[in-house]
């Protein structure tokens, strides 16, 4: 399944995820850690261990270096 992953304020990527892929797999595919982000589907947070069902997700970084 092809998923559009938008890292809010940074970039948007197309990511291929298998049938048993989770939102944590999407996070790792964009080189982020599940500990530093929240995944949003239609504006609502989803658990990182949930199977991917949405064709588009937003990843919101909770920690940003500076």
């Amino acid at each position: 399944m092809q998923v559009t992953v938008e890292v809010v304020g940074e970039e948007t990527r197309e990511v291929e995820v298998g049938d048993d892929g989770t939102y944590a797999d999407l996070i790792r595919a964009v080189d982020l850690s599940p500990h530093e982000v929240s995944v949003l589907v239609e504006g609502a947070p989803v658990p990182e261990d949930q199977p991917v069902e949405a064709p588009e997700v937003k990843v919101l970084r909770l920690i940003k270096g500076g």
Side-chain angles (χ1 to χ4, degrees):
M1 169 183 207
Q2 192 78 12
V3 180
T4 302
V5 180
E6 176 188 350
V7 180
V8 177
E10 295 182 29
E11 64 180 324
T12 301
R13 287 194 203 173
E14 295 293 322
V15 175
E16 184 69 32
V17 65
D19 292 336
D20 59 346
T22 65
Y23 290 103
D25 295 329
L26 289 179
I27 294 167
R28 284 189 285 277
V30 294
D31 299 322
L32 294 172
S33 167
H35 302 289
E36 65 179 313
V37 299
S38 283
V39 178
L40 306 174
V41 174
E42 296 181 9
V46 294
E48 65 191 44
D49 61 349
Q50 181 175 329
V52 176
E53 297 175 349
E56 297 180 4
V57 301
K58 289 188 178 188
V59 176
L60 181 62
R61 289 185 75 151
L62 304 174
I63 301 170
K64 196 159 190 164

